[in-house]
Amino acid sequence: MEDYDVIIIGGGVVGAAIAHKLAEYELNVVLLEKESDLASGTSKANSGIFHAPYNVNPETLKGKLHLRAMEIGPKLMNNLHVPFKQIGALVVAYSSTEVAKLENLYVQIQKLNLPAISWLNQEQVMDLEPEINNKACAALWAKQAGIISPYEFTFALGENAILNGVRIYLDSEVIGLREQESRMEVLTTERIFQGKVVVNAAGLHSDKVGTLVGDYEFTITPRRGEYYLFDRNCGNIINHILFSVPTEVSKGILVTPTVDGNLLVGPNAEEITSREDRQTTRKGLEEVMLGGERIISNLQKGEVINLFAGLRSVIKETEDFFIRTSANCKRLIHVAGIQSPGLTAAPAIGEYVVQLIGEMDGIILRPKKSFGYYRKPVIRFSDLSREEQARLIDQDARYGQIICRCEQVTEAEVVDALTRPLPARTLGGIKRRVRAGMGRCQGGFCGSKIMDLIAKYSNLSKLEITKEGGNSYILSGVTKGQ
Amino acid sequence: MQKRKVDLVVIGGGPAGLAAALAADEEKVQNIVLIERDIELGGILHQCIHNGFGLHYFGEELTGPEYAQRFIDWVAETKIEIKTNTMVLEIAAKGQEKWVYAVNRTDGMVIYQTKAVVLAMGCRERTREAIRIPGSRPAGIFTAGTVQRYINIEGYLPGKKVLILGSGDIGLIMARRMTLEGSQVLGVLEIMPYSNGLTRNIVQCLEDYQIPLLLSHTVVQIHGFERIEGVTIARVDANLVPIPGTERYQAVDTLLLSVGLIPENELTRMAEIGLDKVTGGALVNQNRETSIPGIFACGNVLQVHDLVDYVTEEANLAGRAAARYIDSQRVQGEQIEISPGNNVRYVIPQKIQEPITDPIDFYFRVTEPMSVGEIQFWVGKEEIYRTKKKFLKPAEMIRITVSFTNWEKMIQVGKLSVVIKEVS
Ligand SMILES: Cc1cc2nc3c(=O)[nH]c(=O)nc-3n(C[C@H](O)[C@H](O)[C@H](O)COP(=O)(O)OP(=O)(O)OC[C@H]3O[C@@H](n4cnc5c(N)ncnc54)[C@H](O)[C@@H]3O)c2cc1C
Ligand SMILES: Cc1cc2nc3c(=O)[nH]c(=O)nc-3n(C[C@H](O)[C@H](O)[C@H](O)COP(=O)(O)OP(=O)(O)OC[C@H]3O[C@@H](n4cnc5c(N)ncnc54)[C@H](O)[C@@H]3O)c2cc1C
């Protein structure tokens, strides 16, 4: 039986951030993820915003960790070579009622003495965002806000954790948990692990993991948000993240450029019952388009290249993060209810959880001398100048072979994604690492070539390759002539 | 980085690029480079192993690969330089100067400084995302052309229980092809009240195999989280909105989309060439010359063609015009704009420009089907040309050649309108 100091359940951004923080210490750590890749849950389908704390409540744990993340997040992303563009956000009011709400918000913000948030009048808004709906009357400008790729951030945390000794098991769903004297036993679909501490970072399923030790302290309600993604040629119609005025439950629909240069519109907020139901709906998408058009009146519907939905994991009673030791099991720490801004707060959550772990029986936090930021940056051919591209091809001919035509991704980049410390094994994994298949043809042209490369590097037949693991096969068989 | 000076760069080695390069070569253009990103020439024709190509151009029925091979063989006999497995990343133009940036694994990055360019990049297929079908995002949803390649070129079958959305030609052809491969094709859904495919394909690919075609129907939701498990289909009203109460569930393991083709104009856009919102291709004059003198466009990158024969014809025109341009570096003169009127979706060319060549070929499509229509050309209040055509369908491109006598008047008015009137 494999024996660890800490076992983390769940490989979203939160589990990965905890693993990465633990990697700084002399501890034996393993992370177990039920899907075939990290960032397969909520961490792959969200707005990708590094939120500025314009509606923060510092009394809550969520607020505290958000504020802490503002201090440590940008540096961490920089160390991990995760692209982060601090483009700033405008929270825009479109009616006099909204202006009144915004004024209230501004008064509260000033009391908190938050940096880098200022008031803009109509003219100033139009100046910064000429394409904005001309009903815009005022805005708050939060300069610290930025955009990141949520999955690249998660992969980067995971990769650097691996490079510092953490083990990651994929396709490993935790189905049993029990306390055995001074140890926890963790049963997955594949094998049994033993550890001193277990961290429950299972996102939408965190309450289910709690029930494995008879703990019914909290329940998760999934709250769905749907999105439209527009072609790259729309990404530059705006310069900032454009928020609506927040409501009680949500920051409302936003329009933002993504780090990759697309335009993202969404999310709405709808409570649902199933934790798997990441479907878009006609009604939800209509709501999103209307919300988007309130912000930018001439959204080019013909330029939509993707639709998706993500599920927030919410503890409704508190609307707060729930991070503490289980009442039923002193070796189990819940990290639950991580709704927005969980992506932003993840580094601070990691730090906080590691502090809790440090207080536990049998754990000593001794800094590891060899810890470092070893993750190599991802080279993006299409972002480079023609001279730099030419030089790369001279060094490695595979940069001269374009695989994905829409996003101009080269063979060298795909091979890199297949041979990194945390390699991609599915079409979805490749897409989220190097963007191949993420453009306007959505993989119609390059899917087959990428499958050939996956097959080659993971010793699979083309028929075994999937979109996202499990039963998501692409090809069902061979033709009669074969 | 290599720099090379040439006379003509043709981008795309499908039927359009092949014919354009050949036409320019015939007109004695010296240094022609034909660039294709695939490993071989021929474009989309390679995967079209059915016959039905070449009836107009060669007067005989060929398969796609046979049609392409004739041109590939002809090109091989010329001194046209062929670069396959090479992708053009960018076109830049400044004054008379033009540069084409291309990469491959052996030459690296090459900048071609060229006198003229022919755009022949073809088109891509519209996706599930582009038509915004809600639901989950499982595996098993393909565009018809992608499946055509898996089956005809690679020998793989994508699934066994198939529904096809959209009655475009590729979808119809794949309905038959998958049936022959032993898959169960449950039917073809079309949101419009009429089919978008050629009549001969409806007969030969659906009716002959008893595959139902459901008009005014669409997919409103996709189900299944790993592999697609089913779809909800519904009837739509006259505004193409699903009618509540008509929804029904259909179990499938594969959904094929044949919902339209989009000209591949990313390079065109980068060069800031004017585009037509309706065709998705460049705005061109009668020589298929774009808004940048010396840059020409033909084939599916200009407008989605249903017959390859017309692609070849259009490419001949563009190739010859490129040769004339290289010879004289002529600039574009006065122009007559052509405006599509009643029941005309678009007209190619969108303008006629001096110096005028005569006669002129017009390609256009109707917006709605018409059993008999009279096509009329108007200059101001004067009707200058008319002709009758039967069985007009949006899916079938109309091509007519017109000789004009009163250029002076047309240039004065500056505008030519094309309308189609129903004849009972
Ligand atoms: C619509 C939407 C928009 C958002 N926008 C933003 C934003 O702009 N900025 C921001 O800061 N935050 C945002 N958030 C919040 C942020 O996305 C989440 O807080 C964050 O991704 C949560 O990460 P996680 O690791 O807790 O959850 P997940 O990413 O869901 O990770 C949990 C993982 O646990 C795995 N798992 C579950 N059960 C088991 C088991 N039994 N065994 C093994 N593994 C298991 C799952 O497969 C999953 O991979 C948004 C959220 C949503 C839904
Ligand atoms: C599935 C299908 C079935 C058809 N069936 C019939 C039929 O039965 N009868 C008939 O007459 N017609 C048919 N057609 C129509 C006809 O085949 C097409 O209209 C014709 O092939 C279009 O030719 P093209 O050269 O414009 O485009 P394509 O054949 O698509 O060629 C374009 C080429 O440009 C290359 N290219 C694009 N961008 C770049 C770049 N940046 N750098 C380098 N190279 C690039 C592409 O790789 C491609 O090879 C069919 C078409 C399809 C798609």
Side-chain angles (χ1 to χ4, degrees), chain B residues 18-259:
Chain B
L18 287 164
L22 280 167
D25 177 73
E26 241 159 64
E27 300 290 327
K28 310 275 180 304
V29 175
Q30 288 308 301
N31 299 302
I32 305 175
V33 186
L34 174 59
I35 304 180
E36 166 57 49
R37 60 189 175 185
D38 230 316
I39 48 172
E40 53 187 350
L41 296 173
I44 198 76
L45 293 181
H46 275 295
Q47 61 185 65
C48 305
I49 59 170
H50 56 281
N51 43 25
F53 297 83
L55 271 174
H56 296 253
Y57 199 75
F58 291 115
E60 57 181 311
E61 252 197 289
L62 306 171
T63 64
E66 284 168 351
Y67 188 95
Q69 199 57 47
R70 296 199 173 183
F71 292 87
I72 296 172
D73 291 345
W74 284 330
V75 166
E77 289 166 13
T78 67
K79 56 182 178 33
I80 296 169
E81 186 180 341
I82 295 161
K83 289 279 174 197
T84 49
N85 209 8
T86 305
M87 169 116 177
V88 173
L89 298 181
E90 188 181 343
I91 309 167
K94 201 168 149 199
Q96 300 274 357
E97 308 286 320
K98 293 164 198 76
W99 298 269
V100 173
Y101 293 77
V103 288
N104 67 27
R105 19 185 357 145
T106 42
D107 307 336
M109 173 94 57
V110 179
I111 308 178
Y112 295 92
Q113 186 179 345
T114 181
K115 293 181 183 151
V117 177
V118 174
L119 308 174
M121 290 92 75
C123 59
R124 64 170 183 274
E125 297 174 277
R126 195 169 270 137
T127 63
R128 172 240 166 137
E129 288 78 11
I131 59 165
R132 309 197 296 272
I133 309 175
S136 53
R137 311 199 314 127
I141 304 170
F142 303 89
T143 55
T146 300
V147 168
Q148 188 177 42
R149 197 169 58 239
Y150 277 130
I151 295 181
N152 291 348
I153 297 193
E154 299 192 20
Y156 289 108
L157 204 59
K160 305 213 165 73
K161 201 167 178 187
V162 188
L163 189 73
I164 298 175
L165 177 63
S167 61
D169 287 312
I170 321 175
L172 300 176
I173 284 160
M174 290 321 290
R176 173 175 65 187
R177 188 77 184 90
M178 290 197 78
T179 306
L180 293 174
E181 283 298 337
S183 299
Q184 185 189 0
V185 178
L186 301 161
V188 176
L189 305 186
E190 170 57 55
I191 194 168
M192 303 303 284
Y194 47 85
S195 156
N196 266 318
L198 298 173
T199 310
R200 69 160 197 241
N201 282 337
I202 305 231
V203 175
Q204 294 170 8
C205 301
L206 299 188
E207 290 172 9
D208 289 359
Y209 295 85
Q210 282 105 47
I211 299 169
L213 170 65
L214 276 88
L215 299 175
S216 298
H217 273 77
T218 192
V219 169
V220 294
Q221 189 88 13
I222 286 165
H223 306 277
F225 284 97
E226 293 186 341
R227 178 78 183 193
I228 186 170
E229 288 164 11
V231 293
T232 304
I233 69 180
R235 181 185 281 282
V236 298
D237 65 19
N239 299 318
L240 311 184
V241 178
I243 305 171
T246 64
E247 298 91 354
R248 89 187 143 81
Y249 181 82
Q250 173 65 59
V252 300
D253 69 15
T254 305
L255 178 66
L256 249 59
L257 300 178
S258 176
V259 290

Side-chain angles (χ1 to χ4, degrees), chain A residues 9-15 32-35 37 39-51 172-175 201-205 209 223-225 227 254 267-268 310-313 335 338-345:
Chain A
I9 307 173
V13 69
V14 169
L32 309 174
E33 166 56 51
K34 74 178 164 79
E35 301 295 330
D37 202 351
S40 290
T42 302
S43 300
K44 84 169 172 198
N46 55 59
S47 311
I49 310 280
F50 183 77
H51 280 298
S172 301
E173 178 173 359
V174 173
I175 50 173
L204 290 158
H205 299 272
V209 169
R223 194 180 282 154
R224 181 166 58 199
Y227 291 94
L254 60 89
N268 61 341
L311 304 180
R312 309 166 180 91
S313 19
V335 187
I338 311 298
Q339 53 167 293
S340 185
L343 175 66
T344 311

Side-chain angles (χ1 to χ4, degrees), chain A residues 87-90 92 94 120 122-134 136 139 141 235-242 255 257 295-296:
Chain A
I87 59 174
L90 305 188
V92 188
Y94 296 91
L120 301 177
Q122 182 171 36
E123 201 179 318
Q124 292 167 314
V125 175
M126 296 314 252
D127 251 15
L128 287 178
E129 290 297 345
E131 292 293 321
I132 204 168
N133 190 328
N134 56 20
W141 184 10
N236 56 5
I237 65 171
I238 53 173
N239 309 308
H240 301 80
I241 306 155
L242 302 179
V255 180
I295 300 172
I296 302 286

Side-chain angles (χ1 to χ4, degrees), chain A residues 233 386 448 462 467 480, chain B residues 90 137 154 157 180 269:
Chain A
N233 57 33
R386 300 284 172 233
S448 176
K462 206 161 171 176
K467 182 168 184 263
K480 287 181 175 165
Chain B
E90 188 181 343
R137 311 199 314 127
E154 299 192 20
L157 204 59
L180 293 174
R269 206 174 269 152

Side-chain angles (χ1 to χ4, degrees), chain B residues 387-403:
Chain B
T387 184
K388 264 188 213 157
K389 291 249 171 189
K390 277 189 196 160
F391 310 121
L392 302 175
K393 288 174 73 180
E396 300 188 14
M397 187 192 286
I398 304 163
R399 173 183 167 286
I400 53 178
T401 306
V402 184
S403 282

